[in-house]
């Protein structure tokens, strides 16, 4: 590419970009002069002109850098890669949710926002030895399920393409395809890994259920009286799924109360959040407002239609992962004094994104507004660049927290996330158990166990089953380092640099010996929680995700707290009419 061509291209491109940006706002000097003679000085217009000039100069600088790098850098560069890197770096400094979406990522974005894709309907994973792709979970009723695929089945090839050594993304792209097309898989079944079978599966349009489970939480007398609905995401038509679940529960028995579980729900479409609030509040109730820099982003969203359960006592469960649309539902119901919020403070995402085309099939997902609940509070974390390890809102200074009033006059606060009316403790798994899960060993055991046994609904991991798991782990050493061990090594290094090692070396060695990771000792120390995660995994193999959720619900302390509160009408009424929320 010649310098002359680049120079001509530069001037043409810059002129076109300027015309697009300002839509004819750039005028000849004579026209600007005539305008200045006819109109009084407008400070806002001057500010806009300065901004326009800054934009133009910045674009020219960027173009020059881009040109020089592509012409003169010592190695051959990829213009597309440079543009992607520059775009990512530019957007990264704005907020965590504004991002560039190239064409190849739009399919995943559509799946995330709609819950739909065309494929076989199975979750896949890498085998624990890293060599193979395995079925992790066939979705109930999906093509993979109807074809008889089981968790643990090894996928040897897809449409003749060998899967050995490839990653999950590679396999997933080949299992997806046009609805109606056929995928030919060669499988090594978990039930007999010495054999293979070939199966042809017709791809279908897969819709991930937003409500994977609904049912009942038994009261202290063992009666079904409090309904329960789990909502996993605000995908397309999720409000209709919640409505169907609610109406089904109402037909089964009188609802003494309802639990809407939004824990681990990271949000999604704003419209369906408004519809869900409308199931419990009167027509034309204000749910949320959005405010942005551009006037067209300022909107008020109200409920439409008559509610399905306007009087049923309602509890909404949230945790530190509940975000965006989940916080709209929880925050508006709290502001309207229509529900008790139970759990932990929510994530704190009060920003609205919209997609804008920026090239051939490329988009930018851009934050264009903030949303506000009926009391006027914004749930966005004051500082979204500093968070806790789990991503939740960190400590917010009191000086940055403002108070607001609910419909009944209760005090609620902004500053980041929805603060629950009734807090429940977070139940953490040990790091050792987390690594067992992440390494795939829990799934390996569950896959094999489910082939050999048919667990009942009241299944528990007994002593013999846990002993079998420990025997399996004896052949699969788990190498990991605890945070305590890492800190101790840092202390040892610092002691050596500062010449204290000779004096405290023996004490450090003694501490190291006491905290040294011992796999068998860890299996004994965390036996109770490991039995629990094993049982969950085994139940999912036989009863799918809905069965696993139902199984977990029996020991769910937060859901139990919610059910007891809903049945205590005096306490429920006291909370939604008089109790202020805490700041933290």
């Amino acid at each position: 590419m010649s310098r002359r061509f680049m120079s001509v291209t530069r001037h043409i491109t810059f002129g076109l970009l300027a015309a697009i940006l300002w839509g004819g706002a750039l005028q000849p000097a004579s026209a600007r002069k005539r305008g200045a003679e006819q109109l009084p000085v407008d400070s806002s217009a001057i500010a806009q002109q300065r901004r326009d000039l800054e934009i133009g100069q910045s674009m020219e600088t960027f173009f020059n850098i881009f040109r020089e790098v592509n012409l003169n850098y010592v190695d051959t560069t990829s213009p597309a890669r440079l543009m992607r890197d520059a775009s990512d770096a530019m957007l990264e400094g704005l907020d965590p949710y504004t991002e560039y979406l190239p064409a190849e990522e739009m399919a995943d974005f559509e799946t995330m926002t709609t819950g739909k894709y065309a494929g076989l309907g199975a979750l896949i994973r890498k085998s624990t030895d890293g060599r193979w792709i395995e079925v992790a979970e066939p979705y109930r009723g999906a093509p993979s399920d109807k074809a008889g695929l089981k968790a643990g089945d090894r996928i040897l090839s897809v449409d003749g393409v060998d899967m050995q050594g490839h990653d999950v993304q590679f396999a997933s792209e080949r299992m997806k395809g046009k609805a109606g097309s056929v995928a030919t898989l060669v499988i090594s079944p978990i039930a007999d890994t010495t054999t293979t079978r070939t199966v042809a599966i017709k791809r279908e349009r897969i819709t991930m259920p937003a409500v994977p489970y609904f049912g009942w939480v038994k009261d202290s007398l063992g009666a079904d009286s409090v309904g329960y609905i789990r909502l996993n995401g605000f995908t397309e038509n999720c409000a209709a799924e919640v409505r169907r679940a609610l109406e089904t529960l109402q037909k089964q028995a009188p609802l003494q109360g309802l639990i809407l579980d939004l824990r681990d729900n990271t949000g999604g479409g704003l419209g369906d959040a408004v519809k869900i609030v409308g199931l419990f509040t009167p027509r034309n109730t204000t749910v949320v407002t959005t405010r942005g820099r551009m006037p067209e982003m300022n909107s008020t969203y109200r409920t439409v239609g008559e509610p399905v359960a306007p009087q049923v006592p309602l509890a909404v469960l949230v945790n530190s992962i509940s975000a965006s649309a989940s916080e709209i539902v929880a925050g508006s119901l709290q502001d309207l004094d229509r529900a008790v919020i139970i759990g932990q403070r929510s994530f704190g995402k009060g920003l609205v994104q919209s997609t804008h085309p920026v090239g051939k099939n490329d988009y930018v997902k851009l934050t264009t507004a903030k949303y506000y609940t009926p009391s006027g509070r914004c749930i966005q974390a004051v500082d979204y660049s500093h968070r806790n390890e789990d991503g939740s809102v960190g400590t917010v200074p009191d000086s940055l927290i403002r108070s607001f009033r609910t419909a009944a006059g209760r005090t609620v606060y902004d500053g980041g996330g929805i603060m629950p009316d009734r807090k429940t403790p977070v139940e953490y798994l040990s790091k050792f158990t987390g690594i067992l899960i992440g390494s795939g060993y829990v799934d390996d055991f569950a896959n094999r166990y489910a082939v050999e046994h048919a667990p009942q609904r009241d299944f528990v991991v007994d002593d013999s089953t846990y002993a079998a798991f420990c025997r399996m782990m004896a052949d699969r050493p788990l190498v990991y380092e605890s945070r305590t061990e890492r800190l101790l090594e840092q202390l040892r290094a610092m002691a050596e640099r500062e010449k204290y090692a000779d004096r405290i070396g023996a004490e450090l060695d003694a501490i190291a010996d006491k905290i040294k990771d011992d796999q068998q000792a860890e299996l004994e120390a965390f036996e109770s929680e490991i039995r629990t995660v094993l049982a969950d995994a085994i139940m999912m193999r036989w009863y799918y995700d809905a069965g696993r959720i139902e199984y977990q619900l029996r020991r769910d302390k937060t859901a139990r707290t919610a059910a007891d509160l809903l049945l205590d009408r005096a306490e429920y009424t006291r909370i939604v009419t008089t109790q202020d929320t805490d700041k933290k």
Side-chain angles (χ1 to χ4, degrees):
M1 185 180 295
S2 69
R3 287 182 178 274
R4 176 176 175 78
F5 178 80
M6 286 294 292
S7 177
V8 171
T9 303
R10 167 179 173 267
H11 290 295
I12 293 174
T13 304
F14 181 70
L16 288 172
L17 288 173
I20 292 170
L21 266 177
W22 295 292
L26 293 181
Q27 303 174 18
S30 59
R32 293 199 299 271
K33 183 176 181 181
R34 289 195 302 270
E37 293 171 349
Q38 297 170 3
L39 299 174
V41 175
D42 184 344
S43 59
S44 63
I46 293 175
Q48 184 60 48
Q49 288 176 0
R50 289 175 177 168
R51 178 174 173 78
D52 290 346
L53 179 61
E54 182 182 356
I55 293 175
Q57 291 173 337
S58 300
M59 288 175 59
E60 186 172 14
T61 299
F62 175 79
F63 192 95
N64 288 337
I65 295 173
F66 187 77
R67 178 193 62 188
E68 293 300 327
V69 170
N70 279 286
L71 281 175
N72 298 317
Y73 187 68
V74 63
D75 296 322
T76 302
T77 60
S78 166
R81 183 71 257 176
L82 288 174
M83 181 59 71
R84 174 65 189 269
D85 291 344
S87 300
D88 288 344
M90 174 174 58
L91 300 177
E92 184 180 7
L94 299 177
D95 65 65
Y97 317 110
T98 293
E99 59 180 328
Y100 171 54
L101 297 173
E104 60 268 20
E105 294 182 12
M106 284 305 295
D108 291 337
F109 179 72
E110 179 187 5
T111 299
M112 180 181 67
T113 54
T114 66
K116 299 177 180 178
Y117 69 96
L120 307 184
L123 187 67
I124 57 177
R125 68 163 186 147
K126 197 79 168 176
S127 62
T128 50
D129 62 10
R131 298 174 57 201
W132 304 98
I133 299 297
E134 293 181 351
V135 177
E137 177 190 353
Y139 302 141
R140 184 194 291 269
S144 61
D145 187 33
K146 290 184 285 189
L149 267 61
K150 301 295 182 183
D153 285 352
R154 183 173 294 171
I155 302 174
L156 304 182
S157 69
V158 178
D159 291 334
V161 179
D162 189 356
M163 292 294 107
Q164 184 175 0
H166 288 295
D167 59 20
V168 169
Q169 182 66 27
F170 180 88
S172 177
E173 290 172 355
R174 280 146 188 81
M175 292 171 69
K176 293 178 182 178
K178 186 177 180 181
S181 62
V182 175
T184 302
L185 277 63
V186 177
I187 301 295
S188 176
I190 179 67
D192 182 4
T193 55
T194 63
T195 65
T196 63
R197 69 185 180 99
T198 301
V199 55
I201 310 175
K202 182 180 290 187
R203 296 181 178 93
E204 296 179 6
R205 186 71 168 166
I206 307 298
T207 301
M208 302 294 293
V211 177
Y213 174 79
F214 65 91
W216 297 89
V217 178
K218 295 184 182 299
D219 61 25
S220 57
L221 299 178
D224 292 333
S225 57
V226 175
Y228 173 91
I229 299 175
R230 168 73 67 86
L231 180 62
N232 274 352
F234 287 81
T235 51
E236 194 173 79
N237 297 322
C238 69
E241 291 188 48
V242 175
R243 173 186 283 270
R244 285 194 294 270
L246 178 56
E247 291 175 339
T248 300
L249 291 172
Q250 288 176 317
K251 292 176 182 177
Q252 290 176 352
L255 271 176
Q256 301 300 314
L258 178 70
I259 299 171
L260 178 62
D261 193 347
L262 301 182
R263 290 173 297 180
D264 300 331
N265 185 325
T266 57
L270 178 65
D272 278 278
V274 176
K275 292 177 182 177
I276 288 172
V277 174
L279 298 175
F280 308 102
T281 59
R283 178 199 294 268
N284 206 37
T285 296
T286 296
V287 175
V288 63
T289 59
T290 59
R291 305 174 202 164
R293 200 177 89 192
M294 306 300 291
E296 58 267 27
M297 297 308 302
N298 299 335
S299 300
T300 298
Y301 295 84
R302 298 182 176 87
T303 58
V304 177
E306 297 302 323
V308 175
Q311 303 298 328
V312 173
L314 180 63
V316 178
L317 309 187
V318 296
N319 63 8
S320 63
I321 301 177
S322 305
S324 187
S326 291
E327 295 174 294
I328 291 175
V329 171
S332 61
L333 290 171
Q334 186 180 51
D335 283 359
L336 297 168
D337 302 300
R338 180 60 189 86
V340 172
I341 312 302
I342 300 176
Q344 300 89 45
R345 180 164 64 175
S346 63
F347 185 85
K349 181 180 181 294
L351 303 178
V352 181
Q353 282 77 47
S354 55
T355 55
H356 302 262
V358 293
K360 184 179 180 181
N361 299 321
D362 295 349
Y363 289 80
V364 60
K365 179 162 69 74
L366 193 66
T367 297
T368 51
K370 295 181 180 180
Y371 68 71
Y372 298 81
T373 59
S375 68
R377 56 180 171 153
C378 181
I379 306 306
Q380 176 60 39
V382 174
D383 180 1
Y384 43 67
S385 61
H386 297 88
R387 290 183 175 271
N388 297 323
E389 285 189 7
D390 63 358
S392 59
V393 180
T395 301
V396 181
D398 287 347
S399 60
L400 298 179
I401 298 176
R402 296 182 300 165
S403 63
F404 296 83
R405 294 289 182 179
T406 70
R410 298 189 298 138
T411 303
V412 290
Y413 299 93
D414 66 0
I418 300 295
M419 188 60 70
D421 301 302
R422 179 67 62 86
K423 296 179 185 177
T424 58
V426 182
E427 296 184 44
Y428 293 108
L429 289 175
S430 67
K431 182 177 179 180
F432 180 78
T433 302
I435 291 177
L436 281 178
I437 297 170
S439 299
Y441 294 141
V442 169
D443 285 333
D444 283 352
F445 183 81
N447 291 341
R448 179 59 60 186
Y449 186 93
V451 169
E452 300 170 353
H453 306 83
Q456 300 299 311
R457 294 280 184 173
D458 58 353
F459 169 76
V460 294
V461 173
D462 57 21
D463 291 345
S464 63
T465 302
Y466 191 69
F469 176 72
C470 292
R471 287 194 298 273
M472 184 196 83
M473 289 303 302
D475 297 329
R476 303 189 184 192
L478 195 66
V479 179
Y480 78 99
E481 184 181 49
S482 68
R483 175 179 287 186
T484 304
E485 287 179 299
R486 290 197 301 271
L487 290 174
L488 182 62
E489 288 304 311
Q490 293 173 16
L491 177 60
R492 191 188 298 276
M494 183 63 69
E496 291 177 353
R497 285 197 297 270
E498 297 183 352
K499 310 301 183 184
Y500 289 111
D502 291 341
R503 280 189 279 171
I504 65 174
E507 287 82 353
L508 294 178
D509 290 341
I511 295 173
D513 187 62
K514 289 181 179 180
I515 65 173
K516 181 180 179 181
D517 292 319
D518 182 325
Q519 183 167 301
Q520 185 56 43
E522 303 283 27
L523 287 169
E524 293 175 4
F526 303 111
E527 178 178 344
S528 177
E529 66 181 34
I530 296 172
R531 287 193 187 217
T532 298
V533 298
L534 285 171
D536 290 343
I538 291 169
M539 292 298 287
M540 194 270 295
R541 267 69 183 170
W542 272 90
Y543 302 107
Y544 301 88
D545 196 35
R548 178 185 59 83
I549 295 171
E550 180 183 26
Y551 186 74
Q552 292 175 332
L553 195 57
R554 299 175 186 176
R555 64 174 190 275
D556 191 328
K557 296 179 181 178
T558 299
R560 178 73 268 164
T561 297
D564 291 342
L565 178 59
L566 290 170
L567 295 174
D568 185 345
R569 295 303 172 81
E571 179 63 8
Y572 176 85
T573 301
R574 184 192 71 80
I575 291 176
V576 297
T577 56
T578 63
Q579 178 180 296
D580 296 341
T581 62
D582 294 330
K583 286 185 179 180
K584 299 176 182 177

